[in-house]
Amino acid sequence: MPQHTFRLNGEQVTVEVEDDVRLLWVLRDVLGVTGPKYGCGINVCKACTSHVNGRAVNPCAIPVGQLRPGDEVTTIEGLADTVDADLHPMQQAWLDHDVAQCGYCQPGQIMAAVALVRRASEEGRTITEADLDGIRNICRCGTYFRIREAIRAGAAKM
């Protein structure tokens, strides 16, 4: 069985699985990282949104064989460590704005929001309404207004 080595939340990991096993299953079933949620498995709902090398991705659509040893996978569990704090500013904004109801989609929502704010910052701008409209993570509880407010608040502190 092939071995795959990459960094997960700051730690080097090696797993033995077939190349075509999706990263989501490696994270959840092999490594026990349960923050990225299974929703659809076809890159639509975005409940599994995580980061690879700082960019938002959906691990349900990425075969583990595509990862390289230097690739850094960050899940909600490792997000606060990227700012060396107990909580990332976006996580704190989620709490401050009482976003979560069921909470199932929230890890993916937060990871998408952080990637969006980082991308806008790299482009030398702040997030816009169009940016917020472009987030496609599905929330069945419908807390979209609070999600948008939390993203704005988190962005101000990032």
Side-chain angles (χ1 to χ4, degrees), residues 73-99:
V73 176
T74 306
T75 66
I76 193 75
E77 290 87 350
L79 185 61
D81 292 338
T82 66
V83 293
D84 198 27
D86 290 334
L87 289 175
H88 187 279
M90 196 63 72
Q91 291 171 305
Q92 186 61 54
W94 244 248
L95 294 173
D96 294 346
H97 289 268
D98 197 26
V99 173

Side-chain angles (χ1 to χ4, degrees), residues 31-105:
L31 297 170
V33 176
T34 58
K37 303 298 187 228
Y38 173 74
C40 67
I42 57 172
N43 200 24
V44 173
C45 77
K46 315 285 187 209
C48 64
T49 303
S50 300
H51 297 167
V52 173
N53 301 326
R55 301 284 183 221
V57 299
N58 296 103
C60 71
I62 299 173
V64 71
Q66 288 183 2
L67 294 178
R68 300 294 166 244
D71 286 339
E72 177 70 42
V73 176
T74 306
T75 66
I76 193 75
E77 290 87 350
L79 185 61
D81 292 338
T82 66
V83 293
D84 198 27
D86 290 334
L87 289 175
H88 187 279
M90 196 63 72
Q91 291 171 305
Q92 186 61 54
W94 244 248
L95 294 173
D96 294 346
H97 289 268
D98 197 26
V99 173
Q101 285 185 16
C102 83
Y104 195 82
C105 70

Side-chain angles (χ1 to χ4, degrees), residues 1-6 8 12-19 21-23 25-32 64-65 67:
M1 181 137 348
Q3 285 191 336
H4 304 280
T5 299
F6 56 95
L8 173 62
Q12 193 86 3
V13 296
T14 300
V15 296
E16 288 188 25
V17 296
E18 294 298 331
D19 292 342
V21 173
R22 301 300 170 160
L23 177 58
W25 304 127
V26 171
L27 294 173
R28 292 184 60 81
D29 297 343
V30 177
L31 297 170
V64 71
L67 294 178

